[in-house]
Amino acid sequence: MATLKEITALCKAGQPESAYAMAKADWSVSPQNIWSQRGMGWALYYLIKSDVEEKRQSDFWAHLEELVNLDLLTPENDPLIFDTTLWCIAEFIKGLSPEKPDDLDHLFSLIRKYSFNPSKGYSFLLKVCLNFETWERWAEFLEWWNMDKLLPEDYQPVKLKDGRSIISLAERTYIAYAKVLLKLNDRERIGVFLPKIEQLMDDYPSMLYPGYFCGKLMLAMGAEKDEALESVLPFVRKKKSEFWVWQLLSEIYQNDSEIHLACLLRAIHCKTQETFLGKVRMKLAAAYLQKKDYPRAKFQIEQIVQCYTSQQWRLPHEVQNWLKEPWAQQGTSDGSDGMDYKQPTDAILLHGTNEDIAIVTYIDPNKKLAAIVYGYKQRRMVKLSNLPQKVRVGSIIKLYWLPVNEKDMNIVKTRFIESSALKDTSYIQSLTGLVERIPDRLFAFVKGNGIECFIPPHMVHTYRLENGDCITALAVYNYNKKKQEWSWSCVSLTPKKK
């Protein structure tokens, strides 16, 4: 009986056929001997590898079927044989056409009896199969593959050679499974999957797209509006310029006709190709028809017809039926929106955010950071890009934000507030008083409203302040790093005419 070492040595020497003949001779004598089956397994692996490289499909199928019929070999006891063969199978799948899934059906029927351990080869198999999302057995395959077997690195974005990155294998897989469940409208499967995709969102908040599909799945299960909205909002805020985000929100607000209409309008006003907007315009036309606003409905239908005709697409039956109506044949069209869609849709983005008055106390133009005080003893450094343009020290802004952790905040929206419209707070005060400056000192103070406010040297110099000058100062209860204490300091001032 040939040893396993002898068989593999022949394979590595480029003689897999000779190794296979030797292994099969031993297996014929002792077909239920584990070592004879292992010899056959390794010989068949090398043959399969060669079949894939040389594109010998019929040989590939014959050798793979022979391998899976070796009943004593298992991924648990013979991981090297199966892991290496998985890479070959995945490479074979790469050469298949997604439009002709029959080969994938056959391959799945051969390997589905196995339960593989997590490995790079097993993840690679999943990766290549993601090109077959229209495959009828896609959901069945993903459930067999088992997303619990994703490797830790499968959850990280993939960095490309040109420096760009694409979403992780895990995110792609969760999205693919969500899509197929929505297509199947399988409420039982959706109910099982929802907690898993919600856990993914909690564990990997940087992943954007699971939130979108979580919202779609929740709607499919008949979830309440607020519940679905809470799920998708983090995603929506980051992708608010994408039309399909607002299309999803229009579904969430299906029973609120005004906000539903506003979301659809915001969707068509996003910068995107007209060829993507057919379904949105159909929903928009339906929304206008519900309000008996025939001119605006007609305009949307005209846009659909123009786009579909230019692309030589068949018009949807619903549009064909609308075109037969008297209002579509005789009435005039109106391309105006008929409502201010920005205000209600912006309000959606701010749902659940904290609202505070903030004041800018320091700007670092090199690091592109700004220090803001947004509450009593509440101070943070934030990116300048998160604040309004032309912001400066002393700017007062309305801040809408969400906590990320103890040190970071997610600023959802900001807008300027005029200081004249500001009511005094526990941390921002407008006060008028006399400057108190000791001769030869570069700094000064001003008192008013029961507080003593520090005036920094650069302000004293800029305004040439002297003891006894009358000023109006905007004071902030700010943190003094040098003294490691909170105290009042001036961020802007207006001298009174003498």
Side-chain angles (χ1 to χ4, degrees), residues 86-200:
L86 277 176
W87 286 96
C88 297
I89 292 172
E91 286 293 340
F92 176 79
I93 293 171
K94 285 173 66 175
L96 299 179
S97 170
E99 287 74 32
K100 297 179 180 178
D102 291 348
D103 284 341
L104 200 58
D105 277 341
H106 182 43
L107 196 149
F108 183 38
S109 68
L110 292 176
I111 64 173
R112 66 174 303 170
K113 69 176 184 178
Y114 297 114
S115 177
F116 292 97
N117 294 319
S119 70
K120 290 184 177 181
Y122 195 46
S123 292
F124 185 56
L125 174 70
L126 172 64
K127 180 181 177 181
V128 297
C129 285
L130 282 169
N131 295 322
F132 294 82
E133 288 188 24
T134 57
W135 181 30
E136 289 186 359
R137 300 178 71 181
W138 184 228
E140 188 182 351
F141 171 83
L142 286 176
E143 289 159 0
W144 164 80
W145 195 95
N146 187 354
M147 283 177 275
D148 291 339
K149 294 184 178 181
L150 286 159
L151 297 169
E153 55 261 41
D154 293 334
Y155 290 87
Q156 303 306 314
V158 179
K159 292 187 178 180
L160 304 177
K161 292 181 180 179
D162 60 5
R164 295 182 299 116
S165 62
I166 58 176
I167 62 175
S168 67
L169 177 62
E171 189 169 0
R172 290 178 63 196
T173 305
Y174 274 79
I175 290 170
Y177 190 54
K179 283 182 177 180
V180 73
L181 293 188
L182 288 168
K183 183 179 179 181
L184 295 172
N185 195 26
D186 191 324
R187 290 172 64 92
E188 184 176 350
R189 278 168 155 168
I190 291 173
V192 173
F193 182 57
L194 260 174
K196 294 182 178 181
I197 197 169
E198 288 174 338
Q199 188 63 52
L200 182 76

Side-chain angles (χ1 to χ4, degrees), residues 388-403:
Q389 291 185 356
K390 299 182 180 180
V391 71
R392 57 183 175 80
V393 172
S395 293
I396 304 171
I397 56 179
K398 184 68 175 290
L399 185 71
Y400 300 88
W401 64 280
L402 293 164

Side-chain angles (χ1 to χ4, degrees), residues 320-476:
Q320 294 182 42
N321 292 333
W322 283 336
L323 290 172
K324 298 174 184 176
E325 296 291 333
W327 53 264
Q329 296 178 356
Q330 302 170 7
T332 59
S333 64
D334 184 351
S336 65
D337 297 328
M339 71 175 298
D340 175 14
Y341 67 86
K342 283 280 289 180
Q343 185 174 349
T345 52
D346 278 347
I348 295 173
L349 298 175
L350 302 180
H351 177 82
T353 58
N354 297 302
E355 300 180 26
D356 287 303
I357 302 298
I359 186 165
V360 179
T361 61
Y362 171 73
I363 290 178
D364 186 333
N366 295 323
K367 295 183 179 180
K368 297 182 180 181
L369 296 173
I372 61 170
V373 172
Y374 61 99
Y376 182 71
K377 293 188 176 182
Q378 298 291 325
R379 179 184 184 274
R380 290 202 182 173
M381 298 295 294
V382 299
K383 293 179 180 179
L384 272 175
S385 58
N386 288 332
L387 300 179
Q389 291 185 356
K390 299 182 180 180
V391 71
R392 57 183 175 80
V393 172
S395 293
I396 304 171
I397 56 179
K398 184 68 175 290
L399 185 71
Y400 300 88
W401 64 280
L402 293 164
V404 177
N405 52 46
E406 292 183 0
K407 294 183 178 180
D408 296 320
M409 59 166 53
N410 175 19
I411 296 176
V412 178
K413 184 182 178 182
T414 59
R415 61 180 175 84
F416 284 119
I417 294 177
E418 294 294 332
S419 57
S420 58
L422 176 70
K423 295 181 180 180
D424 288 343
T425 69
S426 60
Y427 54 97
I428 305 175
Q429 295 274 324
S430 178
L431 58 92
T432 300
L434 300 178
V435 173
E436 296 182 2
R437 182 184 178 191
I438 299 173
D440 301 327
R441 291 287 179 91
L442 299 179
F443 58 87
F445 291 90
V446 62
K447 292 182 180 179
N449 297 353
I451 63 175
E452 183 179 63
C453 177
F454 175 77
I455 306 174
H458 73 274
M459 285 189 176
V460 174
H461 174 75
T462 300
Y463 293 99
R464 299 178 181 178
L465 297 180
E466 299 293 342
N467 191 54
D469 287 348
C470 185
I471 64 169
T472 295
L474 187 62
V476 180

